Amino acid sequence: ISPIGPAAALAQFHRAFNLPMQQLPSADIDHALARLRVALLEEEVGEFVAASERGDLIGVADALADIVYVAYGTALTYGIDLDAVLHEVHRSNMSKLDGDGKPLIRDDGKVLKSARYFPPDIGSVLRLQRP
């Protein structure tokens, strides 16, 4: 197990391979680079789907790790502190519990939003990354 978290590990990878990283959040990246990041994510999700359909637990685990790896790398490409964004999304998701602290779950297992739900304020998180 790596002693560093995914964000630091991916920064190390991007530095070692001289891959694009922005210091500040920005959607201003080259179109070809944006397409590459989309294609990489689609490829990994496709591998997850295939492994899931085969019932291949090792393949599922590998694909999930690759999805996270590519997602963190994509965040670096855009200059996004993905850990901070995930924290905000988690804060929002926890507001889906109802007033009694109970989850609302649809018959197929999807978690639903309660009346207490508030959306994540991702814009504020990104603004905090700027000087």
Side-chain angles (χ1 to χ4, degrees):
I1 295 176
S2 174
I4 60 175
L10 263 293
Q12 180 184 49
F13 179 81
H14 274 240
R15 283 190 301 273
F17 289 87
N18 199 29
L19 298 174
M21 290 192 305
Q22 295 194 98
Q23 295 303 309
L24 298 174
S26 174
D28 186 24
I29 67 169
D30 180 77
H31 179 70
L33 179 57
R35 277 300 315 146
L36 172 63
R37 299 313 304 190
V38 169
L40 292 171
L41 285 165
E42 288 174 340
E43 177 183 344
E44 301 306 343
V45 169
E47 290 179 12
F48 167 73
V49 170
S52 177
E53 289 172 349
R54 289 191 312 270
D56 175 3
L57 184 61
I58 292 171
V60 165
D62 180 57
L64 289 172
D66 287 346
I67 289 166
V68 170
Y69 205 85
V70 174
Y72 268 88
T74 301
L76 282 173
T77 302
Y78 283 92
I80 295 169
D81 177 351
L82 194 54
D83 286 342
V85 173
L86 284 170
H87 177 75
E88 177 61 14
V89 168
H90 174 68
R91 195 174 75 85
S92 166
N93 282 339
M94 294 306 291
S95 75
K96 292 178 181 181
L97 293 169
D98 72 13
D100 296 324
K102 305 276 188 216
L104 304 172
I105 310 283
R106 199 167 62 192
D107 288 341
D108 65 358
K110 178 176 172 50
V111 173
L112 301 175
K113 298 170 185 164
S114 75
R116 296 180 56 242
Y117 172 77
F118 56 85
D121 187 359
I122 293 172
S124 288
V125 172
L126 295 178
R127 282 188 294 280
L128 287 172
Q129 289 181 238
R130 295 194 172 137

